[in-house]
Amino acid sequence: MPGVIVPGNWFDRVCKAQLRLRFDASIEPSTSANVLATFGSADSPTIAITTPLTGWTPAAGERGTGLVAARRFLADASR
């Protein structure tokens, strides 16, 4: 399901508006990549943190925010 990214300064305005969104999409063959990292003991509980490295458009909006959130989580979890 596609998502809509809204700048923080527009959040209240968008939430209060009566909006109707329409998505038009198709599936196209492509390739992607994943980053896999491990740390600690193999006996430790597994935590999966995912964010795409590629996206639906040339813009980094949908993956840039995920990368920032993942890096922040990892920094906090490593303490």
Side-chain angles (χ1 to χ4, degrees):
M1 173 64 90
V4 177
I5 298 174
V6 177
N9 60 336
W10 278 73
F11 182 76
D12 288 337
R13 187 182 312 182
V14 170
C15 287
K16 292 176 185 175
Q18 292 185 359
L19 300 175
R20 182 178 208 152
L21 301 176
R22 179 179 174 200
F23 292 95
D24 184 18
S26 62
I27 297 175
E28 297 181 16
S30 187
T31 59
S32 186
N34 292 306
V35 174
L36 176 63
T38 59
F39 64 94
S41 168
D43 297 329
S44 298
T46 300
I47 299 174
I49 304 163
T50 64
T51 191
L53 294 177
T54 57
W56 297 321
T57 68
E62 76 271 8
R63 57 194 174 279
T65 52
L67 291 170
V68 170
R71 288 192 63 183
R72 176 59 190 260
F73 173 80
L74 292 172
D76 290 348
S78 67
R79 292 188 191 130

Tab-separated table of all heavy atoms in Angstrom, residues 25-79:
chain	number	residue	atom	x	y	z
A	25	ALA	N	-1.274	2.588	-10.167
A	25	ALA	CA	0.029	1.938	-10.154
A	25	ALA	C	0.024	0.697	-11.023
A	25	ALA	O	-1.036	0.173	-11.390
A	25	ALA	CB	0.398	1.557	-8.714
A	26	SER	N	1.216	0.248	-11.335
A	26	SER	CA	1.374	-1.008	-12.057
A	26	SER	C	2.653	-1.680	-11.561
A	26	SER	O	3.504	-1.038	-10.944
A	26	SER	CB	1.450	-0.765	-13.560
A	26	SER	OG	2.577	0.038	-13.864
A	27	ILE	N	2.764	-2.964	-11.822
A	27	ILE	CA	3.953	-3.713	-11.425
A	27	ILE	C	4.885	-3.788	-12.624
A	27	ILE	O	4.463	-4.146	-13.735
A	27	ILE	CB	3.577	-5.123	-10.934
A	27	ILE	CG1	2.697	-5.009	-9.684
A	27	ILE	CG2	4.820	-5.948	-10.662
A	27	ILE	CD1	2.164	-6.331	-9.185
A	28	GLU	N	6.141	-3.434	-12.403
A	28	GLU	CA	7.149	-3.477	-13.451
A	28	GLU	C	8.340	-4.291	-12.972
A	28	GLU	O	8.734	-4.192	-11.810
A	28	GLU	CB	7.612	-2.064	-13.801
A	28	GLU	CG	6.512	-1.188	-14.355
A	28	GLU	CD	7.009	0.190	-14.720
A	28	GLU	OE1	8.235	0.374	-14.833
A	28	GLU	OE2	6.166	1.084	-14.884
A	29	PRO	N	8.934	-5.089	-13.840
A	29	PRO	CA	10.122	-5.858	-13.437
A	29	PRO	C	11.268	-4.917	-13.092
A	29	PRO	O	11.468	-3.899	-13.753
A	29	PRO	CB	10.448	-6.705	-14.661
A	29	PRO	CG	9.428	-6.412	-15.695
A	29	PRO	CD	8.541	-5.322	-15.208
A	30	SER	N	11.991	-5.264	-12.060
A	30	SER	CA	13.111	-4.431	-11.632
A	30	SER	C	13.989	-5.231	-10.682
A	30	SER	O	13.714	-6.400	-10.413
A	30	SER	CB	12.592	-3.169	-10.941
A	30	SER	OG	13.654	-2.293	-10.682
A	31	THR	N	15.011	-4.611	-10.170
A	31	THR	CA	15.869	-5.232	-9.166
A	31	THR	C	16.024	-4.277	-7.992
A	31	THR	O	15.775	-3.086	-8.117
A	31	THR	CB	17.268	-5.562	-9.730
A	31	THR	OG1	17.876	-4.352	-10.182
A	31	THR	CG2	17.181	-6.537	-10.890
A	32	SER	N	16.443	-4.815	-6.881
A	32	SER	CA	16.671	-4.018	-5.690
A	32	SER	C	17.839	-4.621	-4.931
A	32	SER	O	18.425	-5.610	-5.385
A	32	SER	CB	15.415	-3.992	-4.818
A	32	SER	OG	15.605	-3.105	-3.729
A	33	ALA	N	18.155	-4.053	-3.808
A	33	ALA	CA	19.251	-4.553	-2.984
A	33	ALA	C	18.891	-4.381	-1.519
A	33	ALA	O	18.076	-3.534	-1.175
A	33	ALA	CB	20.545	-3.807	-3.297
A	34	ASN	N	19.475	-5.190	-0.681
A	34	ASN	CA	19.277	-5.100	0.757
A	34	ASN	C	20.629	-5.033	1.447
A	34	ASN	O	21.618	-5.542	0.937
A	34	ASN	CB	18.526	-6.332	1.281
A	34	ASN	CG	17.110	-6.372	0.787
A	34	ASN	OD1	16.371	-5.427	0.959
A	34	ASN	ND2	16.746	-7.457	0.148
A	35	VAL	N	20.639	-4.417	2.597
A	35	VAL	CA	21.819	-4.395	3.448
A	35	VAL	C	21.522	-5.287	4.637
A	35	VAL	O	20.476	-5.154	5.270
A	35	VAL	CB	22.145	-2.963	3.933
A	35	VAL	CG1	23.278	-2.980	4.934
A	35	VAL	CG2	22.472	-2.070	2.754
A	36	LEU	N	22.411	-6.209	4.935
A	36	LEU	CA	22.249	-7.108	6.070
A	36	LEU	C	23.445	-6.920	6.989
A	36	LEU	O	24.593	-7.008	6.548
A	36	LEU	CB	22.167	-8.558	5.588
A	36	LEU	CG	22.102	-9.627	6.676
A	36	LEU	CD1	20.838	-9.459	7.504
A	36	LEU	CD2	22.165	-10.996	6.051
A	37	ALA	N	23.182	-6.642	8.231
A	37	ALA	CA	24.256	-6.464	9.207
A	37	ALA	C	23.928	-7.259	10.466
A	37	ALA	O	22.765	-7.392	10.831
A	37	ALA	CB	24.422	-4.990	9.556
A	38	THR	N	24.925	-7.806	11.091
A	38	THR	CA	24.749	-8.524	12.349
A	38	THR	C	25.745	-7.985	13.358
A	38	THR	O	26.818	-7.505	12.998
A	38	THR	CB	24.961	-10.038	12.174
A	38	THR	OG1	26.291	-10.257	11.682
A	38	THR	CG2	23.966	-10.623	11.187
A	39	PHE	N	25.364	-8.055	14.618
A	39	PHE	CA	26.302	-7.714	15.685
A	39	PHE	C	25.905	-8.487	16.920
A	39	PHE	O	24.774	-8.928	17.059
A	39	PHE	CB	26.349	-6.203	15.951
A	39	PHE	CG	25.064	-5.615	16.460
A	39	PHE	CD1	24.833	-5.468	17.813
A	39	PHE	CD2	24.086	-5.187	15.572
A	39	PHE	CE1	23.659	-4.923	18.280
A	39	PHE	CE2	22.903	-4.637	16.029
A	39	PHE	CZ	22.695	-4.500	17.387
A	40	GLY	N	26.857	-8.678	17.798
A	40	GLY	CA	26.577	-9.429	19.012
A	40	GLY	C	26.622	-10.922	18.770
A	40	GLY	O	27.032	-11.409	17.722
A	41	SER	N	26.193	-11.657	19.745
A	41	SER	CA	26.204	-13.112	19.722
A	41	SER	C	25.101	-13.665	18.824
A	41	SER	O	24.002	-13.111	18.758
A	41	SER	CB	26.014	-13.641	21.147
A	41	SER	OG	25.747	-15.019	21.130
A	42	ALA	N	25.394	-14.767	18.162
A	42	ALA	CA	24.382	-15.434	17.337
A	42	ALA	C	23.253	-15.987	18.200
A	42	ALA	O	22.173	-16.279	17.704
A	42	ALA	CB	25.024	-16.550	16.518
A	43	ASP	N	23.494	-16.138	19.502
A	43	ASP	CA	22.475	-16.635	20.417
A	43	ASP	C	21.528	-15.536	20.906
A	43	ASP	O	20.530	-15.820	21.554
A	43	ASP	CB	23.142	-17.299	21.630
A	43	ASP	CG	23.969	-18.509	21.235
A	43	ASP	OD1	23.607	-19.172	20.239
A	43	ASP	OD2	24.977	-18.780	21.912
A	44	SER	N	21.842	-14.278	20.600
A	44	SER	CA	21.000	-13.161	21.029
A	44	SER	C	19.708	-13.135	20.227
A	44	SER	O	19.651	-13.637	19.100
A	44	SER	CB	21.743	-11.836	20.822
A	44	SER	OG	22.910	-11.797	21.599
A	45	PRO	N	18.658	-12.534	20.791
A	45	PRO	CA	17.413	-12.400	20.029
A	45	PRO	C	17.654	-11.616	18.739
A	45	PRO	O	18.483	-10.715	18.692
A	45	PRO	CB	16.491	-11.615	20.963
A	45	PRO	CG	17.073	-11.792	22.323
A	45	PRO	CD	18.554	-11.972	22.124
A	46	THR	N	16.918	-11.953	17.699
A	46	THR	CA	17.052	-11.293	16.403
A	46	THR	C	16.154	-10.071	16.339
A	46	THR	O	15.003	-10.106	16.762
A	46	THR	CB	16.663	-12.262	15.274
A	46	THR	OG1	17.531	-13.390	15.349
A	46	THR	CG2	16.783	-11.616	13.912
A	47	ILE	N	16.694	-8.984	15.813
A	47	ILE	CA	15.930	-7.766	15.551
A	47	ILE	C	16.112	-7.447	14.077
A	47	ILE	O	17.243	-7.355	13.595
A	47	ILE	CB	16.427	-6.574	16.395
A	47	ILE	CG1	16.288	-6.868	17.881
A	47	ILE	CG2	15.671	-5.308	16.015
A	47	ILE	CD1	16.899	-5.804	18.766
A	48	ALA	N	15.035	-7.283	13.352
A	48	ALA	CA	15.106	-6.914	11.934
A	48	ALA	C	14.673	-5.468	11.767
A	48	ALA	O	13.608	-5.072	12.239
A	48	ALA	CB	14.212	-7.820	11.105
A	49	ILE	N	15.507	-4.672	11.138
A	49	ILE	CA	15.206	-3.272	10.849
A	49	ILE	C	15.313	-3.132	9.337
A	49	ILE	O	16.364	-3.372	8.763
A	49	ILE	CB	16.204	-2.328	11.538
A	49	ILE	CG1	16.205	-2.592	13.035
A	49	ILE	CG2	15.873	-0.879	11.225
A	49	ILE	CD1	17.387	-2.044	13.750
A	50	THR	N	14.243	-2.764	8.696
A	50	THR	CA	14.260	-2.717	7.240
A	50	THR	C	13.834	-1.352	6.717
A	50	THR	O	13.020	-0.662	7.330
A	50	THR	CB	13.311	-3.770	6.641
A	50	THR	OG1	11.975	-3.458	7.017
A	50	THR	CG2	13.664	-5.160	7.131
A	51	THR	N	14.414	-0.971	5.614
A	51	THR	CA	13.996	0.193	4.845
A	51	THR	C	14.506	-0.020	3.427
A	51	THR	O	15.567	-0.607	3.238
A	51	THR	CB	14.521	1.507	5.460
A	51	THR	OG1	13.893	2.612	4.832
A	51	THR	CG2	16.015	1.627	5.361
A	52	PRO	N	13.758	0.372	2.427
A	52	PRO	CA	14.193	0.107	1.059
A	52	PRO	C	15.382	0.973	0.652
A	52	PRO	O	15.509	2.103	1.091
A	52	PRO	CB	12.963	0.458	0.214
A	52	PRO	CG	12.204	1.433	1.038
A	52	PRO	CD	12.455	1.046	2.474
A	53	LEU	N	16.238	0.417	-0.179
A	53	LEU	CA	17.325	1.186	-0.764
A	53	LEU	C	16.909	1.779	-2.104
A	53	LEU	O	17.543	2.688	-2.609
A	53	LEU	CB	18.561	0.300	-0.960
A	53	LEU	CG	19.199	-0.209	0.324
A	53	LEU	CD1	20.360	-1.133	-0.003
A	53	LEU	CD2	19.688	0.947	1.181
A	54	THR	N	15.865	1.230	-2.674
A	54	THR	CA	15.323	1.769	-3.916
A	54	THR	C	13.890	2.181	-3.657
A	54	THR	O	13.300	1.784	-2.661
A	54	THR	CB	15.365	0.714	-5.036
A	54	THR	OG1	14.646	-0.440	-4.597
A	54	THR	CG2	16.784	0.319	-5.369
A	55	GLY	N	13.318	2.979	-4.529
A	55	GLY	CA	11.978	3.465	-4.263
A	55	GLY	C	11.110	3.505	-5.494
A	55	GLY	O	11.501	3.089	-6.579
A	56	TRP	N	9.916	4.033	-5.325
A	56	TRP	CA	8.943	4.106	-6.410
A	56	TRP	C	9.252	5.249	-7.367
A	56	TRP	O	8.792	5.285	-8.485
A	56	TRP	CB	7.546	4.287	-5.848
A	56	TRP	CG	7.089	3.154	-5.005
A	56	TRP	CD1	7.321	1.827	-5.240
A	56	TRP	CD2	6.340	3.215	-3.809
A	56	TRP	NE1	6.753	1.072	-4.264
A	56	TRP	CE2	6.141	1.895	-3.362
A	56	TRP	CE3	5.808	4.256	-3.065
A	56	TRP	CZ2	5.435	1.597	-2.225
A	56	TRP	CZ3	5.102	3.954	-1.926
A	56	TRP	CH2	4.915	2.634	-1.515
A	57	THR	N	9.970	6.241	-6.895
A	57	THR	CA	10.269	7.417	-7.717
A	57	THR	C	11.743	7.772	-7.551
A	57	THR	O	12.417	7.246	-6.663
A	57	THR	CB	9.424	8.620	-7.261
A	57	THR	OG1	9.868	9.023	-5.955
A	57	THR	CG2	7.940	8.297	-7.210
A	58	PRO	N	12.253	8.693	-8.360
A	58	PRO	CA	13.645	9.130	-8.189
A	58	PRO	C	13.880	9.889	-6.877
A	58	PRO	O	15.007	10.053	-6.455
A	58	PRO	CB	13.886	10.050	-9.384
A	58	PRO	CG	12.815	9.740	-10.355
A	58	PRO	CD	11.642	9.253	-9.558
A	59	ALA	N	12.806	10.354	-6.227
A	59	ALA	CA	12.954	11.096	-4.977
A	59	ALA	C	13.311	10.160	-3.831
A	59	ALA	O	12.901	9.011	-3.802
A	59	ALA	CB	11.651	11.829	-4.654
A	60	ALA	N	14.072	10.653	-2.892
A	60	ALA	CA	14.517	9.834	-1.765
A	60	ALA	C	13.564	9.897	-0.582
A	60	ALA	O	13.842	9.319	0.449
A	60	ALA	CB	15.902	10.289	-1.320
A	61	GLY	N	12.429	10.567	-0.709
A	61	GLY	CA	11.538	10.780	0.427
A	61	GLY	C	11.128	9.522	1.153
A	61	GLY	O	11.168	9.450	2.366
A	62	GLU	N	10.725	8.484	0.414
A	62	GLU	CA	10.213	7.298	1.094
A	62	GLU	C	11.318	6.433	1.666
A	62	GLU	O	11.080	5.613	2.520
A	62	GLU	CB	9.294	6.478	0.180
A	62	GLU	CG	9.998	5.650	-0.865
A	62	GLU	CD	10.231	6.384	-2.168
A	62	GLU	OE1	9.982	7.591	-2.255
A	62	GLU	OE2	10.657	5.721	-3.124
A	63	ARG	N	12.542	6.573	1.203
A	63	ARG	CA	13.611	5.752	1.775
A	63	ARG	C	14.540	6.557	2.665
A	63	ARG	O	15.108	6.036	3.596
A	63	ARG	CB	14.357	5.006	0.691
A	63	ARG	CG	14.951	5.843	-0.382
A	63	ARG	CD	15.358	4.965	-1.575
A	63	ARG	NE	15.807	5.763	-2.683
A	63	ARG	CZ	15.002	6.361	-3.553
A	63	ARG	NH1	13.706	6.264	-3.431
A	63	ARG	NH2	15.488	7.073	-4.538
A	64	GLY	N	14.672	7.832	2.397
A	64	GLY	CA	15.555	8.659	3.219
A	64	GLY	C	15.115	8.707	4.675
A	64	GLY	O	15.915	8.571	5.590
A	65	THR	N	13.811	8.866	4.903
A	65	THR	CA	13.305	8.916	6.278
A	65	THR	C	13.484	7.575	6.975
A	65	THR	O	13.792	7.523	8.162
A	65	THR	CB	11.825	9.307	6.295
A	65	THR	OG1	11.105	8.437	5.409
A	65	THR	CG2	11.627	10.734	5.844
A	66	GLY	N	13.318	6.475	6.240
A	66	GLY	CA	13.519	5.148	6.828
A	66	GLY	C	14.964	4.918	7.222
A	66	GLY	O	15.265	4.346	8.266
A	67	LEU	N	15.894	5.383	6.393
A	67	LEU	CA	17.318	5.249	6.714
A	67	LEU	C	17.680	6.052	7.956
A	67	LEU	O	18.428	5.583	8.819
A	67	LEU	CB	18.179	5.689	5.532
A	67	LEU	CG	18.116	4.777	4.313
A	67	LEU	CD1	18.806	5.440	3.128
A	67	LEU	CD2	18.753	3.433	4.615
A	68	VAL	N	17.147	7.253	8.065
A	68	VAL	CA	17.418	8.086	9.246
A	68	VAL	C	16.862	7.417	10.498
A	68	VAL	O	17.544	7.329	11.528
A	68	VAL	CB	16.820	9.499	9.069
A	68	VAL	CG1	16.880	10.282	10.371
A	68	VAL	CG2	17.557	10.231	7.968
A	69	ALA	N	15.636	6.910	10.424
A	69	ALA	CA	15.026	6.244	11.583
A	69	ALA	C	15.805	4.992	11.962
A	69	ALA	O	16.037	4.722	13.145
A	69	ALA	CB	13.574	5.894	11.293
A	70	ALA	N	16.238	4.215	10.976
A	70	ALA	CA	17.004	3.001	11.256
A	70	ALA	C	18.342	3.341	11.904
A	70	ALA	O	18.756	2.692	12.871
A	70	ALA	CB	17.225	2.204	9.972
A	71	ARG	N	19.032	4.340	11.399
A	71	ARG	CA	20.325	4.735	11.994
A	71	ARG	C	20.149	5.208	13.431
A	71	ARG	O	20.953	4.888	14.302
A	71	ARG	CB	20.978	5.825	11.155
A	71	ARG	CG	21.525	5.307	9.833
A	71	ARG	CD	22.383	6.301	9.167
A	71	ARG	NE	23.539	6.548	10.024
A	71	ARG	CZ	24.474	7.426	9.751
A	71	ARG	NH1	24.409	8.145	8.667
A	71	ARG	NH2	25.499	7.617	10.569
A	72	ARG	N	19.098	5.975	13.684
A	72	ARG	CA	18.847	6.469	15.043
A	72	ARG	C	18.549	5.313	15.990
A	72	ARG	O	19.071	5.232	17.109
A	72	ARG	CB	17.689	7.465	15.046
A	72	ARG	CG	17.292	7.968	16.428
A	72	ARG	CD	18.485	8.660	17.111
A	72	ARG	NE	18.213	8.934	18.480
A	72	ARG	CZ	17.840	10.145	18.932
A	72	ARG	NH1	17.699	11.142	18.099
A	72	ARG	NH2	17.607	10.311	20.200
A	73	PHE	N	17.713	4.380	15.535
A	73	PHE	CA	17.388	3.220	16.348
A	73	PHE	C	18.645	2.429	16.676
A	73	PHE	O	18.877	2.017	17.812
A	73	PHE	CB	16.363	2.333	15.655
A	73	PHE	CG	16.135	1.046	16.393
A	73	PHE	CD1	15.305	1.011	17.494
A	73	PHE	CD2	16.780	-0.106	16.017
A	73	PHE	CE1	15.108	-0.164	18.202
A	73	PHE	CE2	16.592	-1.291	16.712
A	73	PHE	CZ	15.751	-1.326	17.811
A	74	LEU	N	19.469	2.175	15.664
A	74	LEU	CA	20.692	1.396	15.878
A	74	LEU	C	21.640	2.110	16.842
A	74	LEU	O	22.273	1.466	17.680
A	74	LEU	CB	21.375	1.111	14.547
A	74	LEU	CG	20.611	0.152	13.638
A	74	LEU	CD1	21.275	0.094	12.278
A	74	LEU	CD2	20.534	-1.227	14.257
A	75	ALA	N	21.755	3.420	16.717
A	75	ALA	CA	22.621	4.173	17.628
A	75	ALA	C	22.122	4.047	19.065
A	75	ALA	O	22.901	3.806	19.989
A	75	ALA	CB	22.666	5.637	17.211
A	76	ASP	N	20.804	4.172	19.264
A	76	ASP	CA	20.233	4.036	20.611
A	76	ASP	C	20.354	2.609	21.128
A	76	ASP	O	20.656	2.387	22.308
A	76	ASP	CB	18.772	4.487	20.621
A	76	ASP	CG	18.618	5.981	20.435
A	76	ASP	OD1	19.623	6.709	20.516
A	76	ASP	OD2	17.473	6.413	20.193
A	77	ALA	N	20.129	1.631	20.270
A	77	ALA	CA	20.173	0.224	20.690
A	77	ALA	C	21.581	-0.233	21.011
A	77	ALA	O	21.771	-1.159	21.800
A	77	ALA	CB	19.568	-0.667	19.591
A	78	SER	N	22.576	0.413	20.432
A	78	SER	CA	23.959	-0.021	20.658
A	78	SER	C	24.505	0.449	22.009
A	78	SER	O	25.559	0.011	22.445
A	78	SER	CB	24.863	0.480	19.533
A	78	SER	OG	24.968	1.895	19.581
A	79	ARG	N	23.793	1.318	22.693
A	79	ARG	CA	24.274	1.837	23.987
A	79	ARG	C	24.006	0.852	25.097
A	79	ARG	O	23.125	0.142	25.215
A	79	ARG	CB	23.597	3.151	24.318
A	79	ARG	CG	24.031	4.230	23.372
A	79	ARG	CD	23.502	5.572	23.816
A	79	ARG	NE	23.732	6.500	22.723
A	79	ARG	CZ	22.824	7.303	22.221
A	79	ARG	NH1	21.619	7.326	22.725
A	79	ARG	NH2	23.116	8.099	21.253
